[in-house]
Amino acid sequence: MKRVVCFGEIMMRLNPKGYLRFVQAKEFEATFSGGEANVAVALSNYGLNSAYVTKVPAHEIGQCAVNELRRFGVDVSGIVRGGKRLGTYYVEKGASQRASKVIYDRADSAIALVEPGEFDWEKLLAGADWFHTTGITPALGDQATKATLDAVKTAKKLGVTVSCDLNYRKNLWSKEKAKEVMTEVIEYVDVVIANEEDAYDVFGIKAEGSDVTKGEISHEGYISVAKTLVEKYNLQKAAITLRTSLSASDNLWSAMLYDGKEAYFAPEYKVHIVDRVGGGDSFGSGLIYSLLSGYNNQKALNFAVAASCLKHSIEHDFNLMSVAEVEALAGGDASGRVQR
């Protein structure tokens, strides 16, 4: 069984029920999530040996986060306990022309203040086939940056394939700081994952002929972006998700993959959104699973996009679709008919 190790911050997600606005809510649903945690859960759900590394407080709320990962079969033995707080974030789901909103409350969380040497990466990555992290983790602060660099350097030394989702978050750091840090991180990355704007926000690489706010997506422009990423940073592959936002409720969803020689594009799905948070993570986990399973590039990309398409129909962040369900959609069954 292939083993994947994911590293990042798990947080408590708080959201009003249904489509209530924050100012209307008298109660909030509590779940747990985080970019890399979402990937770890999905990979475990697909049947891989999935491990998650983070630091959470030793109190009961930290234990709730650990228990949630364990519930989905994720290996939590590498989680360090300590620090004073678990990061939280609030989600207000949008609808129609009203956009969704996310408010973070994660300053000085346990993982942001991780101490040097708290993670034994040689031990944590022993026997791993793949290591995954995102640009969110080093954005948490200098100590988290150091831990991320230690992880990717060790993975590279051990011959473990490294993937990184750029996941630029303007509320966590500036474009200048992101470029400075991620230019060092990407030196140890094999497969980079990005959305339509990440490459420009982090590295200043723009897709000509595209304007995501107007729903204009240029295939040629994104081929150029992926090619530049692969050649400039010596990557094996670059994957870019392509979202056309018709409204907060309906999107067109696809992606492309470039392997240094050829560009591949997945079918485009029209998605009616139940919950879009975690959509990019579900793409990343689908790509990791399919590549580790030996799928060719086109089939791997199609699986990843289908997985992410289906995630948009699921409440909260985790993608709880089975491999069979994803493969059915990737194979052309998009009817949504009742399964009896």
Side-chain angles (χ1 to χ4, degrees):
M1 183 187 299
K2 299 292 186 180
R3 178 172 174 79
V4 180
V5 178
C6 301
F7 172 58
E9 178 177 31
I10 188 167
M11 297 181 290
M12 179 185 286
R13 167 178 164 167
L14 297 167
N15 59 265
K17 290 186 175 180
Y19 290 89
L20 291 177
R21 303 214 70 189
F22 289 136
V23 294
Q24 293 177 286
K26 293 181 173 59
E27 57 183 337
F28 288 77
E29 293 180 310
T31 55
F32 295 89
S33 66
E36 306 85 358
N38 298 341
V39 171
V41 168
L43 291 174
S44 178
N45 191 52
Y46 293 150
L48 298 188
N49 181 349
S50 174
Y52 187 65
V53 179
T54 192
K55 182 178 180 180
V56 299
H59 55 50
E60 289 85 351
I61 302 303
Q63 189 61 46
C64 286
V66 174
N67 290 350
E68 185 73 352
L69 292 167
R70 185 182 285 125
R71 182 163 78 94
F72 292 104
V74 175
D75 178 356
V76 297
S77 61
I79 293 179
V80 172
R81 304 302 295 269
K84 294 183 178 180
R85 70 183 304 251
L86 187 79
T88 59
Y89 76 109
Y90 301 82
V91 178
E92 176 186 285
K93 290 201 298 182
S96 191
Q97 278 65 49
R98 176 172 62 85
S100 295
K101 289 189 174 182
V102 174
I103 298 173
Y104 290 109
D105 180 17
R106 64 201 301 183
D108 298 327
S109 63
I111 188 65
L113 301 179
V114 63
E115 296 293 332
E118 285 196 277
F119 297 122
D120 183 348
W121 289 112
E122 294 271 356
K123 180 178 178 181
L124 292 167
L125 291 168
D129 298 284
W130 197 291
F131 174 76
H132 178 74
T133 192
T134 78
I136 296 173
T137 305
L140 299 175
D142 291 343
Q143 287 161 257
T145 293
K146 176 65 165 56
T148 303
L149 284 167
D150 288 345
V152 294
K153 288 177 181 179
T154 304
K156 180 64 72 173
K157 184 178 74 172
L158 296 176
V160 178
T161 300
V162 177
S163 60
C164 180
D165 190 330
L166 295 181
N167 262 341
Y168 176 71
R169 296 290 185 268
K170 65 181 180 181
N171 291 332
L172 293 178
W173 57 357
S174 67
K175 292 180 181 179
E176 293 74 21
K177 183 64 174 180
K179 183 175 182 179
E180 174 191 339
V181 171
M182 295 309 294
T183 296
E184 188 173 1
V185 170
I186 203 170
E187 181 180 345
Y188 304 94
V189 172
D190 301 295
V191 179
V192 73
I193 301 166
N195 69 19
E196 308 86 350
E197 299 176 288
D198 284 336
Y200 178 68
D201 288 336
V202 177
F203 296 118
I205 304 170
K206 185 173 179 59
E208 298 299 330
S210 293
D211 186 334
V212 297
T213 61
K214 295 180 180 178
E216 298 171 357
I217 300 293
S218 166
H219 281 200
E220 291 301 318
Y222 282 106
I223 292 173
S224 176
V225 168
K227 184 176 181 181
T228 301
L229 285 169
V230 168
E231 292 179 354
K232 185 173 183 178
Y233 300 111
N234 195 31
L235 304 169
Q236 292 178 11
K237 292 179 171 66
I240 301 175
T241 57
L242 304 173
R243 183 191 297 273
T244 300
S245 184
L246 305 176
S247 70
S249 302
D250 296 283
N251 288 180
L252 301 179
W253 180 251
S254 185
M256 62 90 61
L257 178 68
Y258 181 72
D259 65 357
K261 296 180 180 179
E262 187 173 350
Y264 303 84
F265 285 85
E268 184 176 68
Y269 296 98
K270 184 174 182 180
V271 179
H272 184 71
I273 297 171
V274 171
D275 194 332
R276 67 157 286 178
V277 182
D281 304 320
S282 61
F283 172 80
S285 55
L287 190 66
I288 293 168
Y289 169 81
S290 53
L291 290 174
L292 276 175
S293 299
Y295 293 14
N296 63 39
N297 285 335
Q298 187 66 66
K299 185 178 178 182
L301 180 65
N302 290 356
F303 182 94
V305 171
S308 188
C309 171
L310 290 166
K311 158 61 194 79
H312 286 75
S313 72
I314 299 174
E315 292 274 10
H316 307 131
D317 293 46
F318 295 160
N319 189 11
L320 303 178
M321 304 302 298
S322 69
V323 170
E325 289 170 319
V326 175
E327 288 186 334
L329 177 57
D333 183 1
S335 65
R337 292 176 64 86
V338 175
Q339 303 295 308
R340 303 181 190 272

